[in-house]
Amino acid sequence: MAEVVQYHLEQMLGELEDLERRKLFTKSELKTIVKKRTKFEYGLRRRRVKQSSFLQYIAYEINVDTLRRKRKNRATSSSKKKDDGDKRSLSDYSIGRRIVSIFERALTRHPEDVSLWLQYIDFVGTSDHSEDGEASMRALSKIYAAAITKHPYEAKLWIMAAAHELDASSNGGAARLLLQRALRVNPKDRALWLEYFRLELLLVEKVKARRRVLGIDGSEESKEEEEEGDSVIALPALDEEAEFEQRIEDAAMAKAAPSSVIRSVDQAQESAYLQGGVAVIVFDQAIAAIPGDWQFRREFAAVAAQFPAATSGAVIRRVHDSIGADFAGSSEARSFLCSACLASVDAQSPAFVDALRCAVANYAAALGEDGASPGLWAAYAEFLSHWHAAVADNP
């Protein structure tokens, strides 16, 4: 035990000398830091170590690094040689590396704790613990892969990993693949379906934005391809994937993916993609997996409404049509469809009056049908009361 602790303490010598040389900590403060670290290291060498012991050590190191940063910034701002103060040295990233090491040891002992994985991911994603930012991104990709391998049923990990691929690596194809694999393992997870649906609409908008920048109109063929980052999450094959039927039509997705659609000379196919054709495929697969919940479909409409009408219009119509066809007996669902005209219209907008008229006309048509339920009448009364109050409050 003592030999291992001594080894960890010896690794701190360069950092301590750097902190003293830069006058960020006094000798007395450094001795206190060494004593605290020694106590923590011995605590981690016990046969049974609680997770709280690791977290206390991590919290202490974060506090030390926070104090170091404040003193460095103060010294830099007051120094005439600001260029020297801005230069990075060993102590600028050694504490962060130690925290990473503590997290790794904690997860070796407690790999079942999802919250610990999330804290580790958050730290690596937000801290400056490496000399190379790209190295940090690669490290984060490896952490996601390890976390998902341990917890394949945690939808949040899959969604965060896909967001990392899209935002940090600009790799929409990798993000799509991750969510497809996630849904093979978790075919009934609503959040995964909604996130996959959102991703496809977002990728359409990215393609359109790139076209505008390049000055490519709808009649021209483009050679655009999705960017691929260097830090792709190398996720191994999961045993859980073999237990489920593949519910997502990978061939259809690949056929409609941006790289193939944009290359195609078939303008109808290209137009379908740019109007959210892939998102419609995802929606159809989602309601096949979760068929009896109209509120689930309503969430798809809410996600699509966040995108421009040129991309989401056909998609929203598909969602509304499916609700109308499958839930004709639900007064709640019918009321939702009647008032859908007002979904994205502000009460102060000039378009509000026309949207309100549209909703009232929809209710009138629905209530005029034979067998209109009392629930729909009640929903209509509530609708009128709500909008009367809203208009009265904002004349």
Side-chain angles (χ1 to χ4, degrees):
M1 177 186 294
E3 292 80 1
V4 177
V5 172
Q6 186 63 31
Y7 169 78
H8 285 293
L9 294 175
E10 288 175 357
Q11 302 304 305
M12 306 174 191
L13 289 177
E15 170 200 330
L16 298 173
E17 291 174 353
D18 188 50
L19 290 171
E20 183 180 6
R21 179 181 60 80
R22 302 179 74 180
K23 298 180 180 180
L24 298 177
F25 289 90
T26 65
K27 286 187 177 182
S28 175
E29 289 173 327
L30 292 174
K31 287 181 180 179
T32 301
I33 291 173
V34 171
K35 287 181 181 179
K36 290 286 290 185
R37 287 176 174 173
T38 302
K39 181 179 178 181
F40 281 123
E41 289 293 341
Y42 273 108
L44 299 188
R45 298 308 302 170
R46 296 172 185 164
R47 179 166 298 184
R48 293 183 179 180
V49 186
K50 294 181 179 179
Q51 181 180 318
S52 58
S53 299
F54 290 102
L55 294 178
Q56 288 170 5
Y57 194 0
I58 290 170
Y60 175 75
E61 291 294 343
I62 289 175
N63 289 335
V64 170
D65 196 44
T66 301
L67 180 59
R68 179 197 65 79
R69 289 172 182 272
K70 289 181 178 179
R71 291 183 176 180
K72 178 188 174 183
N73 291 338
R74 189 184 309 135
T76 301
S77 61
S78 62
S79 174
K80 294 181 180 179
K81 298 181 179 180
K82 291 188 178 182
D83 292 339
D84 293 336
D86 289 338
K87 290 181 180 178
R88 301 193 70 194
S89 62
L90 177 62
S91 61
D92 289 315
Y93 48 83
S94 58
I95 298 177
R97 287 180 176 177
R98 182 173 301 103
I99 295 172
V100 167
S101 174
I102 300 169
F103 266 118
E104 291 287 350
R105 285 187 277 170
L107 288 165
T108 299
R109 293 287 190 100
H110 304 280
E112 76 288 346
D113 194 315
V114 177
S115 65
L116 189 59
W117 283 103
L118 293 175
Q119 290 180 67
Y120 186 22
I121 290 168
D122 180 66
F123 175 78
V124 174
T126 58
S127 67
D128 185 17
H129 65 279
S130 174
E131 295 176 273
D132 182 1
E134 292 186 3
S136 295
M137 291 300 100
R138 288 192 294 270
L140 195 54
S141 296
K142 291 180 181 178
I143 296 169
Y144 275 121
I148 290 172
T149 303
K150 294 290 184 181
H151 300 280
Y153 298 107
E154 285 293 331
K156 185 173 183 179
L157 290 173
W158 288 98
I159 292 171
M160 292 173 64
H164 169 72
E165 286 295 343
L166 185 63
D167 299 335
S169 304
S170 299
N171 194 338
R176 177 189 291 115
L177 180 60
L178 278 170
L179 291 177
Q180 286 178 353
R181 295 184 67 181
L183 284 164
R184 291 176 198 165
V185 178
N186 306 280
K188 301 292 185 181
D189 193 284
R190 295 160 59 114
L192 282 172
W193 282 113
L194 289 168
E195 200 61 35
Y196 187 16
F197 179 76
R198 187 197 314 274
L199 172 67
E200 291 299 346
L201 290 173
L202 182 60
L203 292 178
V204 172
E205 286 303 303
K206 289 172 74 72
V207 169
K208 288 183 176 181
R210 186 181 302 175
R211 284 184 154 211
R212 287 193 293 270
V213 171
L214 296 176
I216 301 172
D217 62 31
S219 62
E220 292 184 54
E221 182 181 1
S222 167
K223 300 297 183 181
E224 292 177 288
E225 295 183 15
E226 293 183 46
E227 297 178 17
E228 294 187 2
D230 296 329
S231 57
V232 177
I233 296 176
L235 185 64
L238 301 174
D239 294 337
E240 289 80 2
E241 286 184 276
E243 299 175 12
F244 297 90
E245 176 186 0
Q246 184 175 333
R247 302 188 67 91
I248 304 172
E249 298 292 342
D250 291 324
M253 298 300 177
K255 185 177 180 181
S259 57
S260 60
V261 170
I262 300 302
R263 294 193 196 101
S264 175
V265 296
D266 186 348
Q267 296 299 319
Q269 183 183 19
E270 180 178 335
S271 176
Y273 171 75
L274 295 176
Q275 293 178 25
V278 179
V280 170
I281 295 175
V282 174
F283 172 74
D284 289 341
Q285 293 292 326
I287 63 175
I290 308 174
D293 188 346
W294 82 267
Q295 293 282 5
F296 180 46
R297 305 188 192 192
R298 179 179 184 172
E299 292 181 64
F300 281 97
V303 170
Q306 299 170 7
F307 294 86
T311 299
S312 64
V315 180
I316 294 175
R317 285 193 296 274
R318 172 70 185 100
V319 175
H320 289 172
D321 290 345
S322 77
I323 295 175
D326 296 343
F327 299 94
S330 169
S331 57
E332 270 191 297
R334 294 182 72 183
S335 176
F336 164 73
L337 293 176
C338 289
S339 60
C341 308
L342 291 160
S344 57
V345 180
D346 187 86
Q348 303 299 319
S349 169
F352 172 75
V353 174
D354 289 337
L356 186 59
R357 286 174 178 166
C358 171
V360 170
N362 289 340
Y363 272 110
L367 292 169
E369 296 175 3
D370 292 337
S373 68
L376 186 57
W377 281 102
Y380 185 35
E382 183 180 352
F383 167 82
L384 293 175
S385 176
H386 168 76
W387 283 108
H388 178 270
V391 172
D393 292 340
N394 298 281

